[in-house]
Amino acid sequence: MKSWPFWIAGTLVLAVLFHISAILAYPYAVTGVLHSRVVESEGANKMIAGPRASAEARGVVRPSPDLLYAICAYDLTSGPVKFSAPVPDTYWSLSMFAANTDNFFTVNDTQAARDEVEVILVTEDQIVPDPKGIPIVVAPSAKGAALVRTLISSEDKLPALQEAVKAARCATM
């Protein structure tokens, strides 16, 4: 009868350890699954423009039918990766996510200095010899994902916006 407090204490300790382990591992698992799906279907360091979101679409978590998406599973192990994309005349953003799902870089249409955004993504130990004025962003992990989002401001503009999203690029330098 006196051993039940030890069983309760042991169970609580195991539950806390399992809970903390799950919380720490879950973000990496989410990005790992996304990364492997994208790499298996199209390869790393390639921007993939998806179809317009619908009720069945789940390539992006909770997609909005008012947005067009393009995704790139980046892998910096082979060297720096350059991102470029035209910025249409509507809400637009490029967001980069580390292996643990942390958003470490975002630029949107109001921050873009021109009608095209270019960014070079590197790890801490990579050097870009001549970036030609292109901003360099240091990624906290060698693998992750970049997401382009474009607002469908008008159904009349949909074809042009789809072309702009398809023109987004992600490639090893």
Side-chain angles (χ1 to χ4, degrees):
M1 283 271 227
K2 293 185 180 182
S3 66
W4 68 269
F6 294 108
W7 280 102
I8 292 174
T11 302
L12 288 175
V13 168
L14 285 174
V16 167
L17 289 174
F18 180 75
H19 179 73
I20 290 170
S21 298
I23 287 173
L24 294 175
Y26 183 74
Y28 291 96
V30 168
T31 303
V33 168
L34 171 78
H35 203 276
S36 65
R37 284 183 185 170
V38 172
V39 170
E40 284 175 15
S41 71
E42 299 292 331
N45 302 329
K46 294 181 183 171
M47 192 67 75
I48 303 162
R52 186 174 187 176
S54 67
E56 295 80 32
R58 287 294 173 257
V60 174
V61 177
R62 295 189 178 190
S64 169
D66 296 334
L67 295 174
L68 295 173
Y69 298 93
I71 190 165
C72 172
Y74 69 80
D75 184 349
L76 301 172
T77 58
S78 299
V81 173
K82 181 180 176 186
F83 293 86
S84 61
V87 180
D89 188 22
T90 185
Y91 171 79
W92 173 94
S93 70
L94 167 64
S95 300
M96 296 183 184
F97 300 90
N100 65 351
T101 69
D102 283 353
N103 176 220
F104 64 89
F105 176 80
T106 300
V107 62
N108 65 34
D109 60 298
T110 61
Q111 298 165 327
R114 319 179 304 205
D115 58 353
E116 181 179 36
V117 165
E118 292 180 302
V119 174
I120 298 173
L121 188 61
V122 298
T123 59
E124 283 185 0
D125 60 341
Q126 292 173 334
I127 298 170
V128 179
D130 184 16
K132 296 180 176 81
I134 300 171
I136 295 175
V137 175
V138 178
S141 60
K143 293 182 180 181
L147 184 65
V148 172
R149 291 175 270 216
T150 304
L151 177 68
I152 303 169
S153 55
S154 159
E155 289 297 322
D156 296 339
K157 294 182 180 180
L158 182 60
L161 295 173
Q162 287 172 322
E163 288 304 312
V165 170
K166 288 178 184 174
R169 297 287 174 253
C170 159
T172 304
M173 294 183 64

